[in-house]
Each structure stands twice: as structure tokens, then as C-alpha cells.
């Protein structure tokens, strides 16, 4: 093997690192100013790369935003799937059901700093409403929220098969659970989104109590 041959077979140094830097910077910028307010120049400055480097990885801002949104949504969804499995994967008795659901609800409500930029992007999407492209909105839903809903619905259905829950429609039950445990509006004493451990537990326990009232098996 010649020196030139070995050079051709080696991956380009810095390629993955540059892409990761661009993705991190894009999440911050899109979360801060939204799609319309962001520019490739601003993202390049945030990532400490040139605009040419960004265009070496992505065709345009639209493709960059779509990639950031979908990859970030997949990461968040994977974290929620692991959370669901961690709390409900071992539930085997009615005695432990409520405690396991409260534990899941507490984790669900508790902010994840590593996903703060993603949350900001989602807030921007929700505020843009009809101006957000329908195809990208559907792709985001499938990669993130609907994927998580299906994972939770599947776990609730298994609990129902064991006779621990009554859920004729597992996807609807999953929606009920998420709405009930994430209803934190105006609950924080130290500002929006800032909940103490006691407040987090209170919200989680109340949501689970209401959920179980509607979904426990009837004698």
C-alpha cells in the first residue's frame, strides 16, 4: 500500500467534530431566534466555523433546520423510551403500579438541561403555527412526540394485559397520562418552569391519581 493509498482510506480529520459543532450551534440559534431569525452566518459564528464549512455539510438553511429538528427529536424520544422502560418495565403488581407511575411522571415533568435547546425550538414551532411547513411538522411528530406516545401506549397496553389497568384505547390513555402529569401551568413558586422537588412530586402524584381513577380495573 502506497502512502497516497493509505491517505485515501483514512476518514477526513475533523469531519464528525465539525458537524457536531454545527448541530450544537444550530440548536442554540434556532431555539433562540427561530427559523426565520436564524442565518447561516450567525450559526457559523456560533459554531466557530466558516459558512463554507456549513455548506459542505448541508445544502441550505432549510435542510440544516430539518436535520437539527429530526435528530434532536429522536434523541429526546430515545430518552423518554428509556424512561418509560426504566419505570414501568418491571411493574408486575397493583401494589407497585401507582409508585412506578408517579416515578415516571416526576421524571417526565423534571426539566432536562441537555434538551433545553430542543424545547426552545419546539416552542418556536408552536408559536409559528400555520407558517411551519406541513411535511416537516409531520416528520417531527413521527420522530418525536408520536414515537414517545406509541412507546408509552405499548407499555400501558402490556399493563392492561396483566390486569393492572383498564385501557380500551392505549394511545388515548397515553395521551391522558401525558396531559395530566405535564399540567404545570402556574404551579411553580419560583417562576415559570422552576419547580421544587416537592412541587414536582405533588403534580406527578395528582396527575397519576386522576389517571388511575379513570383507568384502574373495576370490580
Amino acid at each position: 500500500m502506497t502512502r497516497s493509498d493509505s491517505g485515501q482510506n483514512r476518514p477526513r480529520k475533523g469531519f464528525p467534530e465539525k458537524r457536531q459543532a454545527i448541530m450544537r450551534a444550530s440548536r442554540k440559534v434556532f431555539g433562540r431566534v427561530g427559523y426565520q431569525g436564524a442565518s447561516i452566518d450567525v450559526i457559523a459564528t456560533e459554531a466557530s466555523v466558516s459558512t463554507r464549512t456549513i455548506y459542505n455539510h448541508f445544502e441550505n438553511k432549510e435542510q440544516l433546520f430539518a436535520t437539527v429538528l429530526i435528530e434532536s427529536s429522536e434523541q429526546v424520544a430515545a430518552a423518554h423510551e428509556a424512561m418509560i422502560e426504566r419505570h414501568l418495565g418491571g411493574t408486575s403488581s397493583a401494589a407497585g403500579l401507582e409508585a412506578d407511575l408517579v416515578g415516571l411522571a416526576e421524571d417526565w415533568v423534571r426539566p432536562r438541561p441537555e434538551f433545553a435547546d430542543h424545547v426552545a425550538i419546539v416552542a418556536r414551532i408552536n408559536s409559528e403555527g400555520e407558517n411551519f411547513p406541513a411535511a416537516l411538522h409531520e416528520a417531527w411528530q413521527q420522530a418525536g412526540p408520536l414515537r414517545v406516545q406509541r412507546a408509552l401506549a405499548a407499555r400501558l397496553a402490556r399493563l392492561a394485559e396483566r390486569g393492572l389497568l383498564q385501557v380500551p384505547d392505549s394511545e388515548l390513555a397515553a395521551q391522558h397520562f401525558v396531559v395530566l402529569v405535564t399540567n404545570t401551568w402556574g404551579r411553580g413558586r419560583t417562576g415559570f418552569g422552576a419547580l421544587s422537588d416537592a412541587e414536582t412530586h405533588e403534580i406527578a402524584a395528582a396527575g397519576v391519581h386522576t389517571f388511575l381513577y379513570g383507568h384502574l380495573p373495576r370490580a
Side-chain angles (χ1 to χ4, degrees):
M1 179 183 292
T2 66
R3 184 174 299 176
S4 60
D5 289 335
S6 63
Q8 290 176 354
N9 292 329
R10 287 197 304 267
R12 291 170 54 188
K13 288 184 178 180
F15 188 88
E17 291 80 3
K18 292 291 186 183
R19 186 183 188 279
Q20 291 173 9
I22 294 168
M23 294 292 285
R24 284 194 300 269
S26 298
R27 282 194 294 269
K28 290 182 180 179
V29 173
F30 286 132
R32 189 167 62 234
V33 301
Y35 176 78
Q36 296 297 335
S39 69
I40 294 296
D41 287 337
V42 171
I43 293 171
T45 299
E46 183 77 33
S48 299
V49 301
S50 67
T51 56
R52 179 178 293 277
T53 298
I54 293 180
Y55 284 119
N56 284 340
H57 292 265
F58 304 96
E59 293 182 4
N60 48 43
K61 188 177 76 169
E62 180 179 356
Q63 186 194 47
L64 174 56
F65 180 75
T67 303
V68 166
L69 177 61
I70 299 305
E71 287 193 10
S72 181
S73 297
E74 289 172 343
Q75 291 168 5
V76 173
H80 276 82
E81 287 173 338
M83 185 191 306
I84 293 166
E85 186 62 26
R86 184 168 64 251
H87 288 284
L88 302 183
T91 303
S92 57
S93 68
L97 175 62
E98 183 168 3
D100 290 343
L101 286 172
V102 170
L104 173 61
E106 287 178 332
D107 269 358
W108 208 292
V109 171
R110 191 171 291 115
R112 299 281 293 267
E114 67 270 33
F115 297 138
D117 293 328
H118 173 79
V119 172
I121 292 174
V122 171
R124 289 278 180 178
I125 292 173
N126 291 333
S127 67
E128 289 183 11
E130 296 180 356
N131 295 325
F132 195 74
L136 183 54
H137 188 278
E138 175 64 20
W140 159 55
Q141 286 287 310
Q142 292 294 336
L146 292 179
R147 172 178 161 180
V148 174
Q149 179 181 304
R150 286 191 293 268
L152 180 56
R155 180 52 63 185
L156 294 179
R158 291 176 193 172
L159 292 173
E161 289 171 0
R162 298 173 189 167
L164 301 180
L165 288 175
Q166 180 175 295
V167 285
D169 186 332
S170 60
E171 290 196 5
L172 182 59
Q175 291 178 23
H176 289 166
F177 179 85
V178 173
V179 170
L180 287 169
V181 305
T182 57
N183 182 22
T184 61
W185 183 263
R187 298 298 298 273
R189 298 188 181 93
T190 56
F192 178 78
L195 298 171
S196 68
D197 289 343
E199 289 166 338
T200 298
H201 177 76
E202 179 186 353
I203 291 168
V208 168
H209 179 78
T210 304
F211 175 80
L212 289 177
Y213 182 83
H215 294 284
L216 279 178
R218 298 290 186 264

